[in-house]
Amino acid sequence: MCIRDRNKLSPLTILYLNGNRNLKGLLNSDVPETLVDVLAANDRFSDYMVYIVEAISSCSLYRPIAHKFANMGVVKDLVQILSETANTQSIQVLACIEAIWNILEVGGKEVVDAMALEEIAIGLKKVFEKVIKEGYKLEDKWLRNELCILINYALNSPLSHKFFLSKDTEKDQSFFEILLKYAAHDELNLLSEDKEEKLLFTSKEEDTEFKKLLWTSISSLIKEETRTKVHAPVVDSKFVNALLFYFNTDQSILAAHRWQAPQLREMQLHALSVISNIIVIMPELFRQVEGHKVLIRFLSQYADTERRLACTKAILNAAGHEFFKKEFAEEGIMDILMDMIQNKKDNSLELREYAFNIFSRLCNNFRPNQKEFRRKGGIELIMQNLLPSYPSEKGNVYTFVLAINDCLWNAVYRNKRSELHFIDVGGVFAILDMLEACDEVHKRVLISSLSTILENPKAIPAFQKWTSTKGLINGSQLLIKLYQEEDDRYGVKYGDGVLANAERPLTPKVLAKKEQAKGIAVLDKGSLSISRVSSSAQASAGTTLKKESLKSFTEKLRETAEQQRIDINGNFSESYIYKRMIEEAHVFDLRASIFAVFYRVGFDAHIKDLSYPEQQRLEIIQIYPFLKNGEIWKDIKQELEETSIRPILDDKHWMETCIEEATEQAECAIFNQSLLANDMKRGANQQLEGYYTSLRTTKNEKKNATTSRSGAGLKSIPASPDIKPQKTPFHLF
């Protein structure tokens, strides 16, 4: 690690990574193995065992040693000591927890995965129940919270989930059911009319922290792969009802006065985070308890950004389900969201972005909501936010623009009346203005959006009338300019406007392999779903997207400073998002979408206004599908030759025919480009000759005028008879 990178890290992190002389000496010795052998072989409740555990804790400050301890099963032994200790307040318990903490913190994801053992889950369950039932002191509550943090660490590994969900017999309770019991006990008791059971927890900081840790553990276990096992326990425990208790607007309930305003706000934010996960896995259950109505009331009740943002995230997850779309609209969510977007002063850019995303999901393939969106002025709202440039504002402008375009796609496109209204209010002009000034990450989205709206014939006149306010160019010239930039990115060479390589007219051979490898690498990393592709463009480009496989939250936290890509709140940083969006944008070939736009408006829409170089590039644009098809078949042929596979005669004939057709089209385009180049040279020569002719004419006219004036002057002088002309004397030197 270089000095510059080390300066970015804390001293403790540098110790974790690089260690010191003593820790490196311990790593190369037999001390770690000896400590583990002594821990496993001797009496675990003797007095000197505490010193053994403390030695393990101190040695674990160096990552390689922590990994070695984890691989030798130290964490399992320490958890077993915790579960077998009768007195939870003993010094042994504290020492074991400290050692486990160090191993987990320093070791990272590898150590967390090593915790996925049945013995560890059983041991944590025993000590958890013991502390909950017998502990009543403040120290016991701290120990209880420490155990919950260890449980969350263990749950970060999906391999451990089955041990938390399993139970020996039907009468027994699984660890998951025990967590649900204590997470919902007090809330359900306060909601009931009898209130016979005693409350287990108070509103003090240690109890509220414990409640949030329980919720986090439960949320970690509610996954798509565990849905069948967690559904029944969640329903029986009424855990969702307990979470919704914190959003009750009835202030007469006793629970409303148990917390101070900051505490209640903190509990609400954490509950919304858990609800966002539950909605994705069990939407029907959330609908049965009318949780979606509670969220809408909560969104309209509070105006602070943090609670509104957490609530909109939960609503966004619910809005994708069909049965929520109608009920959300009936509850008046559209009015609330439109007010949020219009009120820019009180609502952040990120909050308005989520509002557009919710609109997009509510209107996706749901015509009643599309109609309601149009009637309430949603299209005008989109127009107000489709801007060539945005004022400086806190938030991510790049994802905000994507949210607007996604809303435009789902709420307006494919609905004839909405499309006509969008065209009438200048939607095509707005897209072209934005396309001219947009960042590279948005070009693909905007060109696809333009191609889609131009499927409506009434949008074509608007495209033909558009003129840039910056460069005084028309729509065709703008698209040709973008096509030229894409050619430069792929390394396509032209000489005097004539295509240089007829064999690889779109991707030169050397660059083709690089682009192919780059595209595969980017797709393997995962992708942000940043754009929608029209069907014709997809067919031309021949590319597909993979869903992103996200790392666990713990793994992201373990990345070093130069590789860090999330902020302290667990969100992706703006620089990382922009980098991924650029990578994703470069996977696609914009030339396919540009061809799709020209195909709809006509290649001769502005032919009279195009210069010779623009006409030359247009010759290639209009045969793009043939060129792309030819390159695909050439790649297939080369792959067959490299793998020594001989196609049957019919396939071989078809393949060669397609390649020949593409080559003929390319040669024909090159010939037309050559004619245009000759015309351009001829025109340039004629213009130059005309310029020189005008210069000669001007010079001759000036000369004649000078001669005529001098001749007229000589005639005006009268001749005197007394004056005779004298000869100039000649002197010889």
Side-chain angles (χ1 to χ4, degrees):
M1 183 181 297
C2 64
I3 297 177
R4 183 182 62 183
D5 293 335
R6 289 185 61 179
N7 292 334
K8 299 179 182 179
L9 303 177
S10 66
L12 191 58
T13 305
I14 295 176
L15 180 65
Y16 292 166
L17 298 176
N18 301 330
N20 55 29
R21 183 177 59 184
N22 296 332
L23 290 173
K24 291 179 180 178
L26 289 173
L27 176 64
N28 297 325
S29 67
D30 296 331
V31 172
E33 289 81 358
T34 303
L35 291 174
V36 174
D37 293 339
V38 172
L39 182 68
N42 293 276
D43 183 11
R44 296 181 178 180
F45 302 103
S46 59
D47 295 335
Y48 71 88
M49 190 57 59
V50 176
Y51 302 107
I52 299 296
V53 175
E54 289 179 349
I56 292 174
S57 177
S58 300
C59 294
S60 301
L61 294 178
Y62 187 31
R63 179 164 293 177
I65 298 179
H67 287 169
K68 181 179 286 189
F69 279 144
N71 293 332
M72 290 187 291
V74 170
V75 177
K76 181 182 68 174
D77 294 335
L78 294 174
V79 171
Q80 188 173 357
I81 294 175
L82 286 176
S83 63
E84 295 175 355
T85 303
N87 184 11
T88 57
Q89 298 179 8
S90 65
I91 192 172
Q92 284 185 341
V93 172
L94 299 178
C96 289
I97 290 181
E98 182 69 21
I100 296 173
W101 262 112
N102 287 349
I103 295 173
L104 292 175
E105 283 290 328
V106 179
K109 185 178 183 300
E110 294 81 0
V111 177
V112 172
D113 290 337
M115 288 186 67
L117 298 173
E118 186 176 9
E119 294 86 349
I120 292 179
I122 294 174
L124 290 175
K125 178 182 177 182
K126 288 181 180 180
V127 68
F128 179 81
E129 288 185 295
K130 184 186 301 182
V131 173
I132 288 291
K133 294 177 181 179
E134 301 176 3
Y136 58 91
K137 294 183 179 180
L138 182 61
E139 292 78 6
D140 295 325
K141 293 184 177 181
W142 289 345
L143 175 61
R144 176 196 64 190
N145 293 357
E146 295 284 340
L147 286 172
C148 280
I149 297 175
L150 294 180
I151 291 170
N152 281 312
Y153 265 109
L155 290 174
N156 276 328
S157 174
L159 300 174
S160 66
H161 292 181
K162 57 183 178 181
F163 305 124
F164 285 82
L165 297 173
S166 62
K167 51 186 178 180
D168 297 333
T169 63
E170 290 297 328
K171 295 181 180 181
D172 295 333
Q173 282 186 318
S174 65
F175 202 170
F176 179 62
E177 291 173 339
I178 294 174
L179 296 175
L180 286 171
K181 173 185 175 182
Y182 292 107
H185 178 273
D186 283 7
E187 289 78 6
L188 296 179
N189 187 36
L190 290 168
L191 285 173
S192 65
E193 297 180 356
D194 299 333
K195 298 183 178 60
E196 296 179 354
E197 296 187 20
K198 182 181 178 181
L199 299 181
L200 299 178
F201 311 106
T202 65
S203 59
K204 293 183 179 180
E205 183 180 357
E206 56 272 11
D207 285 336
T208 56
E209 187 67 24
F210 174 66
K211 184 75 69 171
K212 291 188 293 183
L213 289 170
L214 282 179
W215 291 351
T216 304
S217 302
I218 294 169
S219 180
S220 300
L221 285 166
I222 301 177
K223 302 293 182 182
E224 184 66 35
E225 56 271 15
T226 61
R227 172 187 288 185
T228 55
K229 294 183 178 180
V230 302
H231 187 273
V234 171
V235 173
D236 296 338
S237 64
K238 298 183 180 180
F239 177 62
V240 179
N241 302 70
L243 293 175
L244 295 176
F245 161 78
Y246 292 92
F247 309 103
N248 201 314
T249 57
D250 187 2
Q251 297 296 323
S252 62
I253 298 180
L254 176 62
H257 304 286
R258 294 183 67 225
W259 297 275
Q260 298 294 328
Q263 284 182 315
L264 181 60
R265 175 176 169 275
E266 191 175 352
M267 298 296 288
Q268 289 171 341
L269 290 174
H270 206 77
L272 285 169
S273 176
V274 178
I275 286 173
S276 299
N277 182 42
I278 292 177
I279 290 175
V280 177
I281 308 302
M282 293 179 284
E284 296 86 358
L285 174 61
F286 195 72
R287 184 192 182 194
Q288 291 174 3
V289 298
E290 296 186 342
H292 57 294
K293 297 181 180 180
V294 175
L295 291 179
I296 295 176
R297 289 196 297 268
F298 182 79
L299 184 63
S300 60
Q301 181 181 1
Y302 292 95
D304 59 293
T305 301
E306 197 169 3
R307 272 187 282 205
R308 277 198 158 190
L309 191 60
C311 189
T312 51
K313 289 179 181 179
I315 293 175
L316 179 64
N317 289 341
H321 299 281
E322 293 296 325
F323 46 78
F324 279 132
K325 293 180 179 180
K326 180 180 178 181
E327 297 178 7
F328 271 138
E330 291 175 350
E331 293 294 324
I333 192 173
M334 288 195 174
D335 294 326
I336 300 174
L337 296 176
M338 287 187 178
D339 181 68
M340 288 169 53
I341 296 174
Q342 291 172 348
N343 189 1
K344 298 181 180 180
K345 182 179 179 181
D346 298 331
N347 298 296
S348 64
L349 188 70
E350 185 180 8
L351 190 56
R352 303 200 305 271
E353 176 187 334
Y354 273 102
F356 274 115
N357 284 325
I358 293 172
F359 273 132
S360 176
R361 292 196 179 183
L362 289 176
C363 297
N364 186 22
N365 297 324
F366 198 75
R367 297 190 68 85
N369 284 354
Q370 294 174 355
K371 180 180 179 181
E372 189 70 14
F373 181 77
R374 181 179 68 249
R375 287 185 173 182
K376 290 184 177 294
I379 296 177
E380 286 78 8
L381 200 61
I382 290 177
M383 288 293 298
Q384 294 172 9
N385 289 273
L386 275 178
L387 305 174
S389 61
Y390 292 85
S392 58
E393 188 176 357
K394 185 179 180 181
N396 194 328
V397 177
Y398 304 107
T399 54
F400 179 71
V401 173
L402 294 180
I404 297 172
N405 281 276
D406 194 55
C407 179
L408 176 64
W409 192 282
N410 290 320
V412 178
Y413 293 164
R414 313 301 179 187
N415 187 304
K416 291 185 178 180
R417 290 190 177 182
S418 297
E419 286 184 354
L420 292 175
H421 187 62
F422 180 69
I423 296 169
D424 292 339
V425 298
V428 178
F429 291 164
I431 293 176
L432 287 168
D433 288 337
M434 199 170 184
L435 179 60
E436 183 185 20
C438 73
D439 194 88
E440 191 175 2
V441 298
H442 297 137
K443 288 180 181 178
R444 172 70 185 185
V445 184
L446 292 171
I447 294 175
S448 297
S449 179
L450 180 63
S451 175
T452 303
I453 191 61
L454 288 174
E455 292 180 8
N456 192 319
K458 295 189 177 181
I460 296 177
F463 176 86
Q464 295 172 343
K465 292 178 182 178
W466 180 81
T467 303
S468 170
T469 57
K470 292 184 177 181
L472 298 178
I473 59 176
N474 54 45
S476 297
Q477 290 172 320
L478 174 61
L479 293 176
I480 292 173
K481 177 185 175 183
L482 296 175
Y483 193 95
Q484 291 174 347
E485 293 175 357
E486 200 70 359
D487 271 346
D488 294 339
R489 187 168 73 88
Y490 279 92
V492 182
K493 302 297 182 182
Y494 290 83
D496 294 330
V498 180
L499 183 66
N501 188 352
E503 292 296 320
R504 304 287 303 191
L506 298 179
T507 53
K509 194 65 177 178
V510 177
L511 191 64
K513 294 182 178 180
K514 294 182 180 179
E515 288 296 326
Q516 186 178 5
K518 178 182 176 182
I520 294 173
V522 171
L523 290 176
D524 287 341
K525 290 179 183 177
S527 62
L528 293 177
S529 212
I530 64 171
S531 64
R532 297 181 175 274
V533 188
S534 58
S535 56
S536 59
Q538 276 188 340
S540 302
T543 57
T544 57
L545 284 174
K546 285 185 178 180
K547 293 184 178 179
E548 181 184 18
S549 55
L550 295 175
K551 295 182 178 180
S552 67
F553 183 72
T554 305
E555 182 179 357
K556 295 175 212 166
L557 288 176
R558 303 300 174 194
E559 294 184 355
T560 56
E562 64 271 19
Q563 297 174 337
Q564 192 71 24
R565 59 189 193 182
I566 59 174
D567 58 24
I568 58 176
N569 296 320
N571 301 317
F572 285 109
S573 63
E574 291 185 20
S575 59
Y576 173 72
I577 291 176
Y578 182 79
K579 178 183 176 183
R580 290 302 313 278
M581 291 169 70
I582 284 288
E583 291 176 351
E584 190 64 31
H586 286 171
V587 172
F588 295 101
D589 187 354
L590 294 181
R591 297 173 295 184
S593 298
I594 293 172
F595 167 80
V597 175
F598 272 115
Y599 183 79
R600 288 176 171 82
V601 301
F603 295 95
D604 56 350
H606 301 97
I607 193 66
K608 296 181 180 179
D609 301 327
L610 300 181
S611 63
Y612 279 111
E614 290 170 341
Q615 293 181 40
Q616 287 177 308
R617 197 61 60 104
L618 192 61
E619 290 290 334
I620 297 297
I621 296 175
Q622 61 187 354
I623 61 169
Y624 175 85
F626 295 98
L627 302 181
K628 186 66 178 180
N629 192 38
E631 287 194 358
I632 292 173
W633 280 113
K634 288 176 183 177
D635 292 337
I636 294 174
K637 181 179 179 181
Q638 180 181 358
E639 186 178 354
L640 292 176
E641 291 174 353
E642 291 175 352
T643 54
S644 301
I645 298 177
R646 298 194 321 181
I648 61 176
L649 292 178
D650 291 341
D651 291 343
K652 183 179 180 181
H653 174 71
W654 173 258
M655 181 169 53
E656 292 177 349
T657 301
C658 292
I659 295 173
E660 290 175 1
E661 183 182 10
T663 305
E664 291 175 0
Q665 291 286 345
E667 292 175 350
C668 182
I670 291 173
F671 177 75
N672 293 336
Q673 287 178 327
S674 301
L675 294 179
L676 289 170
N678 294 333
D679 292 343
M680 182 171 57
K681 291 180 181 179
R682 191 180 304 112
N685 292 334
Q686 291 176 355
Q687 185 178 5
L688 187 62
E689 183 63 29
Y691 174 70
Y692 287 135
T693 302
S694 64
L695 288 179
R696 287 193 294 268
T697 303
T698 303
K699 184 177 180 181
N700 292 334
E701 290 177 352
K702 288 182 179 181
K703 183 177 180 181
N704 294 334
T706 304
T707 304
S708 61
R709 284 197 302 271
S710 62
L714 290 174
K715 291 179 181 180
S716 64
I717 301 175
S720 175
D722 299 332
I723 301 176
K724 295 181 181 181
Q726 297 180 1
K727 294 183 178 180
T728 303
F730 178 76
H731 300 280
L732 180 61
F733 295 97

